[in-house]
Short mmCIF file of all heavy atoms in Angstrom, two decimals:
data_model
loop_
_atom_site.label_atom_id
_atom_site.label_comp_id
_atom_site.label_asym_id
_atom_site.label_seq_id
_atom_site.Cartn_x
_atom_site.Cartn_y
_atom_site.Cartn_z
N PHE A 5 40.47 -80.80 127.39
CA PHE A 5 40.34 -82.25 127.39
C PHE A 5 41.44 -82.90 128.25
O PHE A 5 41.19 -83.79 129.07
CB PHE A 5 40.39 -82.78 125.96
CG PHE A 5 40.27 -84.28 125.88
CD1 PHE A 5 39.10 -84.93 126.27
CD2 PHE A 5 41.33 -85.05 125.43
CE1 PHE A 5 38.99 -86.32 126.21
CE2 PHE A 5 41.22 -86.44 125.36
CZ PHE A 5 40.06 -87.06 125.76
N ARG A 27 50.52 -100.97 130.36
CA ARG A 27 51.13 -100.87 129.05
C ARG A 27 52.43 -100.05 129.06
O ARG A 27 53.32 -100.26 128.24
CB ARG A 27 50.08 -100.22 128.15
CG ARG A 27 50.59 -99.71 126.86
CD ARG A 27 49.43 -99.16 126.08
NE ARG A 27 49.94 -98.52 124.90
CZ ARG A 27 49.21 -98.24 123.85
NH1 ARG A 27 47.94 -98.55 123.84
NH2 ARG A 27 49.75 -97.66 122.82
N VAL A 38 62.74 -107.64 133.19
CA VAL A 38 63.58 -108.60 132.44
C VAL A 38 62.71 -109.35 131.43
O VAL A 38 63.09 -109.52 130.26
CB VAL A 38 64.27 -109.58 133.41
CG1 VAL A 38 64.91 -110.75 132.67
CG2 VAL A 38 65.32 -108.85 134.24
N GLN A 42 63.27 -109.38 127.42
CA GLN A 42 63.52 -110.61 126.66
C GLN A 42 62.54 -110.71 125.50
O GLN A 42 62.90 -111.10 124.39
CB GLN A 42 63.39 -111.83 127.59
CG GLN A 42 64.60 -111.94 128.50
CD GLN A 42 64.45 -113.00 129.58
OE1 GLN A 42 63.34 -113.25 130.06
NE2 GLN A 42 65.56 -113.60 129.98
N VAL A 76 69.74 -104.23 138.93
CA VAL A 76 69.44 -104.13 137.50
C VAL A 76 70.70 -104.49 136.70
O VAL A 76 70.65 -105.27 135.74
CB VAL A 76 68.96 -102.71 137.10
CG1 VAL A 76 68.80 -102.60 135.60
CG2 VAL A 76 67.64 -102.37 137.79
N GLN A 107 78.35 -88.26 144.78
CA GLN A 107 79.11 -89.48 145.11
C GLN A 107 78.27 -90.74 144.83
O GLN A 107 78.79 -91.73 144.31
CB GLN A 107 79.55 -89.42 146.58
CG GLN A 107 80.58 -90.47 146.94
CD GLN A 107 81.85 -90.42 146.08
OE1 GLN A 107 82.42 -89.35 145.87
NE2 GLN A 107 82.27 -91.57 145.56
N ASP A 167 76.69 -76.37 123.11
CA ASP A 167 78.01 -75.75 122.88
C ASP A 167 78.92 -75.98 124.07
O ASP A 167 80.09 -76.34 123.93
CB ASP A 167 77.86 -74.23 122.69
CG ASP A 167 77.40 -73.91 121.27
OD1 ASP A 167 77.63 -74.73 120.37
OD2 ASP A 167 76.79 -72.83 121.09
N ASN A 168 78.35 -75.77 125.27
CA ASN A 168 79.15 -75.89 126.48
C ASN A 168 79.63 -77.34 126.66
O ASN A 168 80.81 -77.59 126.91
CB ASN A 168 78.26 -75.45 127.67
CG ASN A 168 78.96 -75.63 128.99
OD1 ASN A 168 80.19 -75.54 129.06
ND2 ASN A 168 78.20 -75.88 130.04
N MET A 176 83.29 -87.09 123.00
CA MET A 176 82.69 -88.05 123.95
C MET A 176 81.30 -87.60 124.40
O MET A 176 80.63 -88.29 125.17
CB MET A 176 83.59 -88.24 125.18
CG MET A 176 84.90 -88.94 124.88
SD MET A 176 84.67 -90.45 123.92
CE MET A 176 83.96 -91.53 125.13
N ALA A 216 78.61 -85.40 118.10
CA ALA A 216 78.18 -86.12 119.30
C ALA A 216 77.38 -87.38 118.96
O ALA A 216 76.85 -87.52 117.86
CB ALA A 216 77.29 -85.19 120.13
N ARG A 248 81.42 -89.00 110.44
CA ARG A 248 81.77 -87.61 110.76
C ARG A 248 83.21 -87.51 111.26
O ARG A 248 83.59 -88.19 112.23
CB ARG A 248 80.81 -87.06 111.83
CG ARG A 248 79.37 -86.97 111.36
CD ARG A 248 78.44 -86.68 112.51
NE ARG A 248 78.47 -87.75 113.52
CZ ARG A 248 77.91 -87.67 114.71
NH1 ARG A 248 77.26 -86.59 115.04
NH2 ARG A 248 77.98 -88.69 115.56
N TYR A 288 62.61 -97.51 126.47
CA TYR A 288 62.75 -97.07 127.86
C TYR A 288 61.82 -97.93 128.71
O TYR A 288 60.61 -97.95 128.48
CB TYR A 288 62.35 -95.60 127.91
CG TYR A 288 62.61 -94.87 129.19
CD1 TYR A 288 63.78 -94.13 129.36
CD2 TYR A 288 61.67 -94.85 130.21
CE1 TYR A 288 64.00 -93.40 130.53
CE2 TYR A 288 61.89 -94.14 131.36
CZ TYR A 288 63.06 -93.41 131.52
OH TYR A 288 63.28 -92.69 132.67
N ARG A 324 49.58 -98.13 118.79
CA ARG A 324 49.64 -99.52 119.29
C ARG A 324 50.95 -99.73 120.05
O ARG A 324 51.95 -99.13 119.71
CB ARG A 324 49.55 -100.49 118.12
CG ARG A 324 48.19 -100.42 117.44
CD ARG A 324 48.02 -101.54 116.41
NE ARG A 324 46.93 -101.24 115.51
CZ ARG A 324 45.63 -101.33 115.83
NH1 ARG A 324 45.28 -101.76 117.01
NH2 ARG A 324 44.71 -101.01 114.95
#
Side-chain angles (χ1 to χ4, degrees):
F5 180 65
R27 165 178 174 162
V38 168
Q42 285 172 328
V76 174
Q107 193 56 48
D167 281 336
N168 177 29
M176 293 311 288
R248 296 169 298 170
Y288 189 95
R324 294 189 197 285

